[in-house]
Amino acid sequence: MNQSNSTEGAAPNNPSSEIIGKAHSRLDGHAKVTGKVRYSGDHLIEGVTFGYLILSTIAKGQIRSMDVSAAERSPGVLAVFSPFKSFKLYSPLRSDDSVTGEFVIPLQEPDVRYYGQIIGFVVAKTFEQARDAARLVKVRYHTETPTLTWEAGMSLAYFPGILGRKPNVWSRLANGVPSIEAALDRGAIKSEGVYTTPFEHHNPMEPHTAIAVWEGDRLTLYDSTQWVGGHQTNIAAMLGIPTHRVQVICPFVGGAFGSKAYLWTYSPVIAGAARELNRPIKAVLTREQMFTLVGHRPRIVSNVALSANSDGTLVAIRHDSMSTSSLASEYSEAASFATSRLLYRSPNIQVSHQILPLDIPSAATMRAPDEAPGTFALESAMDELALKLAIDPVQLRLLNYADVSWNNLPWSSKNLRECYRIGAERFGWSNRSAGPGKTREGDWWIGSGMATALNEATRPESSARIRFQVDGTVAVSVATHELGTGMYTILAMIAAERLGWPVEKIRPELGDSALPAAPGAFAAQSTGSVGPAVVSAADAAIERLIQFAITEPQSPFAGLKPEEVTYSAGFVRSKGAERVFGSLLEETGRFSVEASATAGPGDESAKYAFHSFGATFCEVRVNQLTAETRVSRINSVMDIGKVINPKTAKSQIIGALIMGIGMALLEETHLDEKIGRFTNANMADYHMVTHADTPHIAVEFIDKPDLTFNPLGARGAGEIGNTGVAAAIANAVYNATGKRIRNLPITPDKLLS
Ligand code: MOS
C-alpha cells in the first residue's frame, strides 16, 4: 500500500476547477427514487430467520423470572433468549476506536436499568411468528423506585469526566476580577434567563436493523450505522472474536442524525443469537423500540447571564448547563460548550456543564449536539440583551465579534460578518420593526428573528483507494457513509477532478468495513477528512499507473524513465506513445492498477482554530386566536469553507433547518415520571416537521476555501444548519407577539398562557 501523508499542493479548487464547486445531481438519486437501493434490512439472505426483541416494562429493578415455555412451543420458534438462558457477550469498547451507546451488556444479568431495555430475544422462521411468540413471554419483576424527575436528578448531578475537548468548567476572567458574578455586576445592563430543551428523538425514516450472517467463525453484519469501522471493532469485542473476522456492510443509511453513530445493544444480541443458532437472523426495531434502544437528545437546562456596557460591548458571559443522562451510559451534552468556543469577545467568560443520571435509556448525539441546544440558549439571550440595550440584534453581534478563538488562536478562516451582512440583505432585515407586536396581517402576528450558527470543524485521519479499471472506469473506495448527504456523488466529483476523468466514469464504493478506513460519518467531519484522502489516493494511483506503464513488458512505455511519461486526463503519454488507461490495461492483460493513501491533519491545530459559522434569519406568523406558529420564510448564509457540491450541500442545510423548525415548534418526547416510559413513542404523537410545516428556505454559501484546514478547503455541512435556527424562530416569535418562550418547543399552550 502506498502510504502518503502529504497534503501538499493538492488543492483542486484552483481556477481551472471543472467539477468541484459545480452543482451535480446525486449519482444514487435514480436508484433511490426507483427503490433499487438496499438499506440494511433490504439485503436478501438465503435461509434468513427473524428475531424480535423483548423489552423491559419497568424502569428499575430485577427480573425475578421469565416464563418462556409458551413462546418456545409457539409455531416456527427456533429459540427464546433471556438473561436466564443466553449466549456470552463481552464488554463493549470504551475507546476512540468505536462509539458505544450503552455500557450494559445485553442479556447477561437480570438487572433492569431503564424502561425499554432488551430483556429477551425470540427467533423464529417468520417475523410474525417471532413477534407473536414474544408476546407470550411472561416476566416477573422485583420493582424498585426509579429516579425520573429533574428535581430528583438534581441531587445526583455531577461533573462528568472530561470528554474529548469539552471542559466541565471553563473560565477566563480579566485581571483583578474575583469571580464571574463580580464581572457580571460590572456591566450597565444585565440579562439572565433559563432556557430548556426537552427530550427529543432522532426518528430517522429507516429503522435500526441488523442482519447477522455467520460463515464458520466469520461474521458478516448488515447494520444501520454511521461508522462501519467503529462498528466492526466494537462488535468483535462484544462477541469476543478478532476484529478481522467481522465485516460490517452498510452502503446506504436512511437517515441517522446521530442515532446510528453508536454500537447499540441490539447488534450484539442479533449477532450472538445467529452464532448460537448457526442461522442468519434479521431483526428490525419497531418505531416504539427505537425510542429506548438507540438514543435520544437529553433534556437540557441552560442558565445564561450576559452583561454589557451601555454601548453594547459585552463585559461578562456566564453559561451553566445541565443535561439528563442514564445509568446505562454516561452521555454529556454540554450546551454551554458552544458558548465556550467564543462566539463573542468578552473579557470575562465562564461555562460549566453537569449531568443528571436518571433511570432512563441512554442519551446520544443528535443533530448538532452541544451547539443546537447551546445556540438556542445563547442566541436567545443575545436577543433579550439587544432588546434591553435597544440595539439591533445584528449590530449587537457585530459589536462583540470575536476575531480570535477561545484558545487565543486566529480562526483559520472566518467570514461571519459576511454571513450577517448577506443574510440581512437577502431577508430584508432593515424593514423589521424592533418593538414586538407591531405587525399584523388579518389574524396573524408577523415577526422576524435571527441567530448565529456555529459548528466546530474536525478532521480525523482517513484513507482511500483509487483503482484504474480496464473498462475505462475508476473505482474510488472509502469506508465512509451515504446518509442521504450526497457522499457517493462528492467522492466521485473529487476523484474526477483530480484525475481529469468524467464523473460518470467514476465508481464510488463506501459503507463496507473491508474498504480503506474512514472516520465515523458524524460530527460533520466526513467531507473534510475523506475528501483529502481521495485526493492523496488519486495522486498515488497516478504515480502507480506511470510506474506500471514503464515496467510492464507489454506496455508501449516499457523501459522509459518516469520523467519521460506523463499522466493527464486519463491518458498516459510519452514522446512516442499515448494510451488512455483502459487501453493500456487491456494491452497488458491487466484488470486494474490501484493505490491507497492516508491523509490527516498536521500541526495546524496548534496555530489555528477551525470553525464553521453562519447566520439564519427567519419570519414567523403567529395566529392570534389559536396561537399556532408558522415559519413563513428562512434565509440562511453559511460559511463552511469550499463547497464541493452546492446542490447536495444546500439540500443538507435545508434539511437541517427543517429539523430546526421541528426542534423549535414541535418535537418533544414525554417521559412518564412514575414508570419511566416515553409515552409518545410513535410517529402520530411525536410531531415531526412535514411538508406543510416547511416554508420557502433560501440557503447561500460564502464558499471561501479554508486551505489551512485541508487541501480541499472544505469544512463540512453536516450539522451547522441545525444550530441557531431554534433561537432565530424563538426570537421571531417574541418579535411577533412580545412573548419570550425559553422552553422548547414553542407550542400554542405556552403562547396562550
Ligand atoms: Mo451527528 S449528531 O454527530 O450524526
Side-chain angles (χ1 to χ4, degrees):
M1 182 162 127
N2 186 342
Q3 286 282 340
S4 150
N5 273 302
S6 158
T7 56
E8 299 307 309
N13 53 290
N14 54 46
S16 66
S17 172
E18 309 235 305
I19 298 162
I20 287 180
K22 303 228 160 57
H24 204 292
S25 293
R26 290 167 197 274
L27 299 182
D28 49 340
H30 187 269
K32 274 185 172 163
V33 297
T34 53
K36 291 203 181 82
V37 156
R38 296 261 159 103
Y39 292 91
S40 295
D42 300 332
H43 295 275
L44 300 174
I45 306 295
E46 178 88 19
V48 76
T49 61
F50 296 83
Y52 196 90
L53 295 161
I54 303 173
L55 309 191
S56 64
T57 54
I58 64 163
K60 189 180 185 184
Q62 290 84 39
I63 303 167
R64 279 266 164 77
S65 67
M66 281 173 77
D67 180 358
V68 299
S69 52
E72 282 177 337
R73 286 194 308 270
S74 189
V77 168
L78 299 166
V80 181
F81 297 102
S82 72
F84 306 101
K85 185 185 156 201
S86 184
F87 35 83
K88 178 78 185 144
L89 292 173
Y90 300 86
S91 290
L93 295 175
R94 295 198 194 200
S95 74
D96 291 344
D97 297 336
S98 177
V99 200
T100 295
E102 201 173 305
F103 297 143
V104 178
I105 315 169
L107 300 184
Q108 307 297 302
E109 52 179 38
D111 301 76
V112 175
R113 288 178 173 81
Y114 58 89
Y115 191 109
Q117 170 186 320
I118 295 176
I119 58 164
F121 188 54
V122 179
V123 184
K125 287 188 179 144
T126 70
F127 164 74
E128 290 78 7
Q129 288 170 336
R131 182 196 57 197
D132 292 356
R135 293 191 177 149
L136 300 174
V137 174
K138 291 192 183 69
V139 186
R140 278 185 54 241
Y141 296 101
H142 164 71
T143 307
E144 292 168 33
T145 308
T147 304
L148 295 168
T149 63
W150 184 270
E151 293 65 33
M154 279 287 280
S155 62
L156 307 168
Y158 67 100
F159 290 102
I162 291 172
L163 299 167
R165 290 167 53 203
K166 293 185 209 171
N168 291 318
V169 181
W170 187 85
S171 183
R172 196 171 72 189
L173 301 174
N175 278 342
V177 175
S179 69
I180 192 69
E181 296 310 322
L184 285 162
D185 286 340
R186 291 187 180 192
I189 305 283
K190 202 172 153 184
S191 178
E192 189 164 3
V194 176
Y195 305 87
T196 70
T197 59
F199 293 114
E200 289 169 70
H201 277 79
H202 310 76
N203 278 314
M205 213 186 293
E206 179 209 18
H208 292 61
T209 303
I211 308 174
V213 186
W214 288 87
E215 281 161 286
D217 60 4
R218 286 187 51 85
L219 169 67
T220 305
L221 188 70
Y222 302 88
D223 204 341
S224 326
T225 172
Q226 290 170 255
W227 192 12
V228 279
H231 230 64
Q232 177 197 25
T233 323
N234 212 354
I235 194 98
M238 290 194 81
L239 293 166
I241 61 173
T243 303
H244 66 84
R245 284 204 223 130
V246 177
Q247 184 176 6
V248 179
I249 295 175
C250 181
F252 289 95
V253 177
F257 322 125
S259 70
K260 292 167 184 166
Y262 301 78
L263 183 74
W264 296 107
T265 49
Y266 73 89
S267 300
V269 166
I270 296 165
R275 176 166 64 178
E276 191 74 7
L277 298 178
N278 197 25
R279 288 172 188 261
I281 300 176
K282 163 174 160 175
V284 181
L285 269 61
T286 65
R287 185 57 61 178
E288 184 170 1
Q289 289 174 343
M290 285 173 63
F291 274 75
T292 62
L293 292 179
V294 294
H296 61 267
R297 179 182 275 156
R299 194 176 157 204
I300 303 158
V301 174
S302 280
N303 189 316
V304 181
L306 303 173
S307 172
N309 294 321
S310 48
D311 66 358
T313 51
L314 284 165
V315 174
I317 302 174
R318 195 200 63 217
H319 187 166
D320 298 311
S321 57
M322 289 183 154
S323 61
T324 54
S325 184
S326 165
L327 292 173
S329 67
E330 186 183 71
Y331 175 72
S332 174
E333 176 124 355
S336 50
F337 179 71
T339 301
S340 76
R341 299 296 87 176
L342 218 60
L343 182 51
Y344 300 114
R345 186 185 56 227
S346 169
N348 304 289
I349 179 164
Q350 182 168 309
V351 308
S352 75
H353 186 72
Q354 295 182 68
I355 60 177
L356 281 63
L358 300 178
D359 294 307
I360 58 171
S362 288
T365 57
M366 175 172 159
R367 308 184 195 160
D370 304 335
E371 282 105 340
T375 50
F376 167 64
L378 179 63
E379 290 295 278
S380 294
M382 282 295 278
D383 198 65
E384 296 192 46
L385 183 66
L387 278 149
K388 283 195 174 173
L389 288 159
I391 294 178
D392 178 82
V394 178
Q395 194 52 35
L396 181 65
R397 285 160 174 88
L398 290 170
L399 270 171
N400 293 288
Y401 195 84
D403 285 305
V404 293
S405 77
W406 65 96
N407 47 10
N408 277 325
L409 295 175
W411 309 101
S412 58
S413 169
K414 178 178 180 181
N415 304 287
L416 178 55
R417 276 195 190 91
E418 287 288 275
C419 297
Y420 291 136
R421 187 183 59 75
I422 298 169
E425 217 172 273
R426 299 285 190 275
F427 182 81
W429 184 253
S430 56
N431 301 327
R432 167 187 186 262
S433 56
K438 290 266 163 64
T439 316
R440 222 173 80 180
E441 235 181 68
D443 288 337
W444 297 84
W445 293 108
I446 300 174
S448 307
M450 60 79 58
T452 314
L454 82 165
N455 192 220
E456 194 174 19
T458 52
R459 181 205 168 186
E461 188 178 89
S462 178
S463 299
R465 183 177 64 217
I466 293 276
R467 183 195 287 143
F468 291 104
Q469 303 180 138
V470 69
D471 65 356
T473 62
V474 175
V476 51
S477 313
V478 194
T480 186
H481 287 274
E482 172 57 51
L483 309 174
T485 50
M487 183 50 84
Y488 279 108
T489 315
I490 68 161
L491 283 181
M493 289 171 72
I494 295 167
E497 176 88 38
R498 197 66 182 171
L499 298 170
W501 201 236
V503 174
E504 294 66 36
K505 296 200 170 179
I506 310 284
R507 302 283 175 265
E509 42 170 9
L510 50 72
D512 184 336
S513 61
L515 300 175
F522 40 74
Q525 66 189 11
S526 289
T527 301
S529 55
V530 166
V534 171
V535 171
S536 297
D539 293 350
I542 290 169
E543 210 182 297
R544 182 64 56 86
L545 183 68
I546 290 175
Q547 198 59 35
F548 171 81
I550 60 177
T551 53
E552 187 68 17
Q554 319 278 316
S555 160
F557 307 97
L560 293 177
K561 296 200 181 75
E563 57 272 23
E564 294 170 326
V565 180
T566 59
Y567 169 92
S568 157
F571 282 83
V572 180
R573 291 189 180 91
S574 68
K575 276 220 172 83
E578 173 181 281
R579 290 289 186 284
V580 70
F581 67 83
S583 309
L584 177 64
L585 289 168
E586 200 171 339
E587 271 175 63
T588 50
R590 287 282 285 264
F591 285 111
S592 62
V593 166
E594 68 180 47
S596 301
T598 299
D603 60 356
E604 60 271 12
S605 61
K607 296 177 220 144
Y608 296 94
F610 301 100
H611 234 88
S612 286
F613 291 97
T616 291
F617 293 76
C618 77
E619 180 193 81
V620 302
R621 290 166 179 247
V622 182
N623 190 289
Q624 63 163 349
L625 304 171
T626 65
E628 73 178 284
T629 301
R630 294 270 159 194
V631 179
S632 40
R633 59 193 175 93
I634 297 180
N635 286 84
S636 224
V637 183
M638 295 291 166
D639 172 23
I640 58 168
K642 179 72 196 165
V643 177
I644 305 289
N645 184 356
K647 190 168 184 178
T648 50
K650 200 172 143 184
S651 266
Q652 235 180 313
I653 302 291
I654 290 174
L657 290 166
I658 292 171
M659 290 188 269
I661 297 174
M663 178 184 179
L665 301 180
L666 300 171
E667 295 190 49
E668 174 170 23
T669 315
H670 298 281
L671 177 70
D672 181 320
E673 292 184 340
K674 286 209 168 62
I675 62 169
R677 175 172 177 251
F678 286 126
T679 55
N680 55 337
N682 61 71
M683 300 298 280
D685 298 315
Y686 185 96
H687 294 165
M688 307 278 291
V689 176
T690 66
H691 282 299
D693 306 302
T694 306
H696 177 69
I697 297 174
V699 173
E700 279 177 69
F701 295 107
I702 299 293
D703 201 27
K704 283 197 185 136
D706 183 352
L707 295 170
T708 317
F709 181 57
N710 68 24
L712 284 168
R715 284 194 302 257
E719 302 197 316
I720 189 165
N722 265 121
T723 69
V725 51
I729 293 169
N731 296 342
V733 167
Y734 179 84
N735 185 246
T737 64
K739 287 230 172 193
R740 175 66 59 180
I741 307 299
R742 300 188 184 90
N743 55 332
L744 295 182
I746 305 170
T747 44
D749 54 314
K750 292 173 191 169
L751 287 169
L752 287 168
S753 63

